[in-house]
Amino acid sequence: MGILQTIRKRLTTQYIGVMVYEDICVVKVQKVKHEKIVFEEEKSFTLATKDKLTKEVVAYLQTRQEEVEQTYVALFLNTHGQGVVPSCERSVYEKFHIDYDNIKSVCVDKKYAIYASDIDIKWAQKLFADVGLDFIFSPFLIVENLRKHAIRKVQGIVLYMLVGINSITVMIFQDDKLLYGTFINIAREEDLLTSEFADDMMDESDDDLLDDLDLDMELEESEEISELLEEAVSDKKSLTQQEDDTIKLKLFGQDLRLVKYFDASLREFYDNELYESDFVTQVKIYDGADLNPEIVRYLKEQLLVDIDVQKTEIDEELMKLLKQEVNAVA
């Protein structure tokens, strides 16, 4: 054990994990002493825009930092300009049409690389200019960490999906070999139009239709989806019928977008010659957003494969990564 690690165990170390979504910022704080959590708190703040932390958020973080000298702040990266490639070699980026000179990348176990655009990195740095930022963690790293520490190892071609409040992260492995990965923000309908799958779903001549596209209506036209929607609405007993219809329709609209993006990413994996694709034999879903059970049932019926769902607290997984990284640096 190193000297720094020995000293750290005797002192109080504070870990702060931050997750910034479209209109909310979630902050989780843990103080650790003698390898035990002596204080824990989680707070949520409303944001006018995800491009700027409010004075309340900045004041809270600064106060926490003043309390404990040994404080580490980490951000959960929830932006479009990130992804994975199945190699750590620079040449692979050109194959996937990624400008290597405008990204930051991390090699994972000398097998594959996670990257984020310089724009996203600068956005994060600017966001935390008043408080400082020690680490930025990609959701791909969370999936990798969960996969590595799974009690029951799965074999074959496995699709792993991390479901967050407004995003999904998909990674497909054949044993320990990465075959495919993508990150998609599902919070807004506009995201469909900027995703890498948009070109596969519409011709260039359809550009004029982009502004008029209503994803919810498109999905609700399906008879099967409509039946699921009716079942979901009727399940809620605690609200009045009018309140139930309004809330459930909105929530289920988000769930339907998840299905749409899931289908698109799987189709991309199967159809795009860039990927070494074969039939997915198992699906592991890390559920950080309390998925509607009907969505899981729908996916099972569509894929005809075993789907295992594991409840996952993304903020807890972020804290685990933060502690691992701090200890590794020491």
Side-chain angles (χ1 to χ4, degrees):
M1 182 182 297
I3 295 177
L4 288 178
Q5 285 181 314
T6 302
I7 294 175
R8 180 177 290 116
K9 286 185 177 182
R10 297 179 181 179
L11 300 175
T12 298
T13 303
Q14 183 171 236
Y15 302 96
I16 300 178
V18 184
M19 287 156 288
V20 178
Y21 302 107
E22 268 62 32
D23 56 1
I24 191 172
C25 175
V26 180
V27 181
K28 189 175 185 68
V29 178
Q30 288 183 352
K31 294 179 182 178
V32 177
K33 188 173 184 178
H34 300 303
E35 299 185 320
K36 293 183 178 180
I37 298 175
V38 296
F39 173 84
E40 186 170 21
E41 182 176 71
E42 182 173 310
K43 293 179 72 69
S44 296
F45 301 87
T46 300
L47 299 178
T49 171
K50 66 183 297 184
D51 293 325
K52 185 177 182 179
L53 299 179
T54 63
K55 293 179 180 179
E56 290 76 14
V57 178
V58 172
Y60 178 76
L61 292 174
Q62 289 177 339
T63 299
R64 287 298 175 201
Q65 290 173 310
E66 291 170 1
E67 291 177 353
V68 181
E69 182 177 356
Q70 194 167 245
T71 296
Y72 300 91
V73 181
L75 172 69
F76 173 76
L77 191 63
N78 192 38
T79 53
H80 288 292
Q82 61 179 311
V84 290
V85 290
S87 171
C88 294
E89 298 296 327
R90 177 169 179 166
S91 58
V92 77
Y93 289 91
E94 183 177 352
K95 176 182 177 182
F96 286 90
H97 310 293
I98 299 166
D99 185 357
Y100 186 82
D101 293 328
N102 290 297
I103 64 167
K104 296 291 186 294
S105 64
V106 176
C107 183
V108 179
D109 295 336
K110 299 181 180 180
K111 294 178 180 178
Y112 69 92
I114 297 172
Y115 69 87
S117 72
D118 287 343
I119 292 175
D120 287 359
I121 300 299
K122 290 177 181 177
W123 165 82
Q125 293 171 339
K126 181 179 179 182
L127 196 66
F128 286 82
D130 295 328
V131 295
L133 183 62
D134 299 293
F135 300 97
I136 300 174
F137 290 115
S138 165
F140 293 108
L141 281 176
I142 290 181
V143 175
E144 174 66 14
N145 210 41
L146 286 164
R147 189 182 72 86
K148 277 186 175 179
H149 293 91
I151 297 176
R152 184 175 68 90
K153 302 297 182 181
V154 289
Q155 303 296 321
I157 298 180
V158 184
L159 185 151
Y160 298 89
M161 180 168 66
L162 174 67
V163 181
I165 291 176
N166 66 347
S167 66
I168 61 173
T169 307
V170 176
M171 300 180 80
I172 300 177
F173 285 87
Q174 183 172 23
D175 298 325
D176 287 328
K177 181 181 180 181
L178 176 74
L179 301 179
Y180 174 85
T182 190
F183 172 85
I184 306 168
N185 188 304
I186 60 173
R188 300 176 180 176
E189 295 175 9
E190 289 84 0
D191 295 339
L192 177 63
L193 309 180
T194 57
S195 76
E196 61 188 285
F197 310 117
D199 292 337
D200 295 330
M201 289 189 273
M202 58 180 68
D203 297 326
E204 292 182 0
S205 58
D206 291 330
D207 288 344
D208 293 337
L209 300 176
L210 297 185
D211 293 334
D212 297 325
L213 180 62
D214 187 332
L215 182 56
D216 286 341
M217 291 302 295
E218 177 185 345
L219 287 164
E220 289 169 17
E221 287 174 0
S222 164
E223 182 178 349
E224 183 176 6
I225 291 295
S226 297
E227 292 175 358
L228 288 174
L229 184 58
E230 290 174 3
E231 292 174 10
V233 171
S234 63
D235 285 342
K236 199 82 170 180
K237 303 298 182 182
S238 60
L239 302 174
T240 66
Q241 187 63 43
Q242 183 177 2
E243 291 173 327
D244 180 67
D245 288 349
T246 301
I247 294 175
K248 204 63 179 179
L249 281 168
K250 180 179 180 182
L251 292 178
F252 208 74
Q254 179 90 338
D255 292 335
L256 291 173
R257 282 192 287 274
L258 185 150
V259 171
K260 186 79 171 181
Y261 286 119
F262 180 89
D263 287 344
S265 58
L266 194 59
R267 185 167 62 251
E268 173 78 357
F269 171 63
Y270 284 141
D271 296 343
N272 196 320
E273 295 181 355
L274 287 173
Y275 305 106
E276 298 179 30
S277 59
D278 202 344
F279 185 68
V280 171
T281 56
Q282 295 185 71
V283 174
K284 176 76 175 185
I285 298 178
Y286 297 110
D287 180 11
D290 293 326
L291 277 178
N292 189 318
E294 293 297 334
I295 292 300
V296 178
R297 180 172 71 84
Y298 174 80
L299 293 178
K300 285 183 178 180
E301 292 176 352
Q302 293 298 307
L303 297 175
L304 301 177
V305 297
D306 181 43
I307 297 180
D308 179 43
V309 180
Q310 176 181 321
K311 290 292 184 181
T312 303
E313 299 293 337
I314 294 179
D315 56 351
E316 286 289 346
E317 298 305 320
L318 178 63
M319 299 301 276
K320 289 178 184 178
L321 281 177
L322 176 54
K323 293 173 185 177
Q324 289 175 20
E325 191 64 26
V326 170
N327 290 330
V329 172

